[in-house]
Amino acid sequence: MAPQTLYEKIWNSHIVREVPGQPSLIYIDRHLIHEGTSPQAFAGLKAAGRKVRRPDLTFAVMDHSVSTKNRLLPVLDADARGQFEALERNCKETGVRLFDMHSRNQGIVHIIGPELGITQPGQTIVCGDSHTSTHGAVGALAFGIGTSEIEHVLATQCLSQAKSKTGLIRFNGKRPKGVTSKDFILTLIGKIGIAGGTGYVFEYAGDAVGALSLEARMTMCNMTIEGGARAGMMAPDETTFKYLEGKPFVPRGKEFQEAVEGWKALASDPGAKYDLVVDIDATKLAPQVTWGTNPGMVTDVTSRVPDPNSFSDPVDKQAAERALVYMDLKAGTPITDIAVDRVFIGSCTNSRIEDLRAAAHVIEGKHVSKHVKQALAVPGSRVVKVQAEKEGLDKIFLDAGFEWRDAGCSMCIGMNDDVLPSGERSASTSNRNFEGRQGKGSRTHLVSPMMAAAAAIEGHFVDIRKWDVNGAE
Amino acid sequence: MQPFIKHTGLVAPMDRVNVDTDQMVPKQFLKLQTREGFGRTLFYDWRYLPGEALNPEFPLNFPRYKGASVLLARANFGCGSSREHAPWAILDYGFRSIIAPSYADIFYNNCFKNGILPVTLSDAQVDDLFRRVENQESYRLTVDLENQVITDESGLRIPFEIDPFRRNSLLKGLDDIGLTLEHEPDISAYEKLNPKSAPMYEAVDVKIAAPQT
């Protein structure tokens, strides 16, 4: 048999029906849902008199609109309350397991999936959320779907899909201190553009990726969709197995050893062919900061806001001009001169325990700049929150002038009351800097947790490599 | 789903690259539970001034584009969030077809689930159409899916490519779920050969009890 990629192996083992010239019917192992995109799917299902085929493979959580303050208070936003109630009702009626906003295991869907071991290597995983790509870090094929497809998966546990092209993205060499996996993925998106991965599934490899923790790998897979590819993945390795062992939904003992043997066979075969190969020298990477209104508008922290005239393509030039107006930035401004109003450490990109440890290390013994109006630390899950509190990180954040919140999507999308006000500028560890993303008129700069933490202390962006970050990673 | 066979309508331009779905339907409207009524929210932050007064500088608000049903757009249209509210808003506003050089994957797929035809043309062809829309008031196009061709009243004729399976589903307005359920025996056979489960080995704080299978 011809050598196969990780993607092809997972794809082939999930084909339910294959007819030449048509999309294939592929089986879905894990269906994750949240309150924001599921109500219309359940309503459609009900209207058609259809049932949820595999409630036992479906998991629901409340994350997008939940309050990160006191959750015991009534939900005042009637629309949000309506969605919470709908999710609870739909789960009760269909037997779908639900982590509601009061569950000790509640958190952002893409944080709790791996954290509980619900998502495992070799699986197909979908969710009505584009950042489902996160779960690919365990060696799974995971991607976001629309509400019609949610309904389709609920009814059939399958999806009709055309096969994607494959891209191999290698980060080679040793990563410099202060440079994180967030900087890897932002560099890649800056290089290929936000549509560079359209039609592709990316597999990340290279020694710099192999050296990353599983949590750090999730950050890369998470933002894969920002480069246009629906899914990102890494071959499962010892790091993966060690991460998964003992998680609540992962088999134990002999059963685990057997599973590991199966997972080991998932890695791409030597000589497997890809439609695209990109090599990036990790030794040369610098901390990244976005300056524009999409994640591809990004540069090194030592650089300056680019001059739109420096873009040879008139379309890029026009987009840059528009972005600078929206962001209220002047071409040529050093990135480190950009002052921030608020800092957000959180989101499905960077709110895991390692992210919080890194940020806490940077701010320990220091205080948030008086020019910064608000600095938020929002754990990705309640399990992360409890762990952080056990380690005393909450105290470090609070002593430094950060707010320490409950778990949820929070200011990444601003569907609850954690909103970046119009005209204000954030250093944010989230994934999207689109116009209005964090609030109407808001201006977002995407950075790593260490970079966001340092910006909170100084009130503007700083090159974290100049700080002592030993022990921050 | 309503079928798409052939549609003739006024063309409106959206002359920006990388229009993301956050712009099509901002987050505050993602808390609703219907598929209808999102037309009002389409391009909300661009279309309205504070207080929901129409922004006179936004092209869709120009009187000449009132009633448009074909949206002419730029590359990577619909990038970002998977929210299907975006095509719901486009449809509810009155658009039946989009013409652009490229689309983001999830958005492209979501269009077909809602009876919207996203046509892909070359950059040069799209540039030409932008010029025609600009130069001619009440510029109309006919998007003919059956014959895979776009035509105007002056004799312009642009053939386009589309996946035959998607074309057929859209022409007939097929119900995807119904189609898949016709293959129920295949799904059951797959499940029998590849048993799937998600057992819990350690108790977690989950609200609904796992169902018996």
Side-chain angles (χ1 to χ4, degrees), chain B residues 26-83:
Chain B
K27 60 188 145 278
Q28 63 269 35
F29 304 111
L30 301 183
K31 294 180 221 170
L32 306 177
Q33 297 184 46
T34 61
R35 291 174 192 248
E36 295 80 29
F38 286 96
R40 184 180 72 83
T41 73
L42 184 66
F43 301 122
Y44 192 84
D45 288 353
W46 293 345
R47 209 166 119 209
Y48 300 106
L49 299 170
E52 270 194 32
L54 290 180
N55 174 3
E57 288 173 20
F58 187 62
L60 281 191
N61 292 335
F62 297 176
R64 63 185 284 192
Y65 300 125
K66 196 172 156 68
S69 58
V70 176
L71 184 63
L72 185 61
R74 292 292 187 185
N76 197 30
F77 192 70
C79 59
S81 160
S82 61
R83 59 189 70 166

Side-chain angles (χ1 to χ4, degrees), chain A residues 291 297 306-308 311 315-325:
Chain A
W291 51 267
M297 293 172 162
D307 184 343
F311 294 95
V315 173
D316 291 341
K317 178 176 177 270
Q318 199 189 9
E321 278 169 354
R322 199 185 140 75
L324 292 194
V325 170

Side-chain angles (χ1 to χ4, degrees), chain A residues 365-443:
Chain A
K366 302 187 175 78
H367 201 274
V368 170
S369 161
K370 63 179 192 301
H371 302 293
V372 171
K373 294 172 187 161
Q374 184 182 38
L376 280 181
V378 185
S381 74
R382 287 183 146 184
V383 168
V384 170
K385 183 169 186 274
V386 166
Q387 179 62 32
E389 288 168 359
K390 228 181 252 174
E391 297 176 19
L393 304 184
D394 57 326
K395 197 167 177 311
I396 296 176
F397 279 109
L398 288 166
D399 286 350
F402 271 77
E403 293 174 39
W404 179 247
R405 296 289 189 87
D406 206 344
C409 297
S410 185
M411 202 188 270
C412 171
I413 188 166
M415 281 179 72
N416 65 355
D417 49 3
D418 303 332
V419 172
L420 182 60
S422 187
E424 292 196 10
R425 192 180 295 288
S426 73
S428 178
T429 66
S430 55
N431 41 57
R432 286 191 175 130
N433 51 340
F434 295 151
E435 288 184 25
R437 171 72 180 187
Q438 295 189 287
K440 186 179 162 77
S442 62
R443 297 171 179 140

Side-chain angles (χ1 to χ4, degrees), chain B residues 136-150:
Chain B
Q136 191 183 326
E137 288 250 359
S138 314
Y139 185 70
R140 293 159 70 83
L141 283 171
T142 296
V143 184
D144 181 346
L145 178 59
E146 201 156 28
N147 297 302
Q148 291 181 226
V149 67
I150 290 176

